[in-house]
Amino acid sequence: AQSVTQLGSHVSVSEGALVLLRCNYSSSVPPYLFWYVQYPNQGLQLLLKYTSAATLVKGINGFEAEFKKSETSFHLTKPSAHMSDAAEYFCAVIEEDSSYKLIFGSGTRLLVRP
Amino acid sequence: DTGVSQNPRHKITKRGQNVTFRCDPISEHNRLYWYRQTLGQGPEFLTYFQNEAQLEKSRLLSDRFSAERPKGSFSTLEIQRTEQGDSAMYLCASSTGQGNNSPLHFGNGTRLTVT
């Protein structure tokens, strides 16, 4: 069964610093991978998705993620953190036998220090 | 695109009461999903509709839970005889269903508190 693991339930960075949020997946087939962001008391918003077209995926708000098959990773990065990036971030994978069911990681809360 | 709308935003109920939540998906989306999110966790899949047909139900969805999408548009999720363990955020999402990776668009959720 597929799964995603997000290392670090909390990540704290200074404003302007590099953001790196880690996601590792397990899958026996080429995965479809997603990153979502959730602001307090809101639903999830899609940041970006990997669909095998390109290993480096650019998303909204300056975020990008690189798919590395050899490392089974799909880490999310942003060169310079902004205060408005403080939120919870979820990595997700489409379940192998499904075309629709997302399996989410447990999330990483990003804190941005002024 | 007015987004996915969920009502109510918050619901506080006493244990044993029934509650019903509504979700209005993006109008042209034929796929609709319900997820449950507890504090500090990622969302967990509950059920999936394609048009009016409920095609999958998670084992998390006990017999106290029922979801409908009668005309293939809005959906309702009802919880009967609520328990304190039902306290969570209930998220609805919709998608176009084109291809295997059409992104899900989430509503802002209904936060249920069972006292």
Side-chain angles (χ1 to χ4, degrees), chain B residues 55-67:
Chain B
L55 298 185
E56 184 172 352
K57 292 172 60 174
S58 165
R59 57 183 170 77
L60 293 175
L61 217 63
S62 76
D63 57 4
R64 295 185 298 105
F65 288 71
S66 62

Side-chain angles (χ1 to χ4, degrees), chain B residues 97-113:
Chain B
Q98 294 175 358
N100 290 341
N101 57 8
S102 54
L104 272 62
H105 297 256
F106 283 85
N108 285 331
T110 294
R111 183 171 295 283
L112 173 65
T113 302

Side-chain angles (χ1 to χ4, degrees), chain A residues 32 34 36 38 41-44 46 49 51 90 94 99-102 104-106, chain B residues 9 31 33 35 37 40-43 45 48 56 91 100-101 103-104 106-108:
Chain A
Y32 293 109
F34 304 78
Y36 281 84
Q38 186 176 33
N41 297 314
Q42 293 189 22
L44 282 73
L46 179 69
K49 65 178 183 179
T51 60
F90 293 94
I94 292 282
S99 64
Y100 54 84
K101 187 189 299 182
L102 276 177
F104 286 88
S106 56
Chain B
R9 289 295 310 276
R31 292 182 171 185
Y33 317 78
Y35 281 78
Q37 185 180 22
Q41 298 297 317
F45 173 82
Y48 159 64
E56 184 172 352
L91 294 165
N100 290 341
N101 57 8
L104 272 62
F106 283 85
N108 285 331

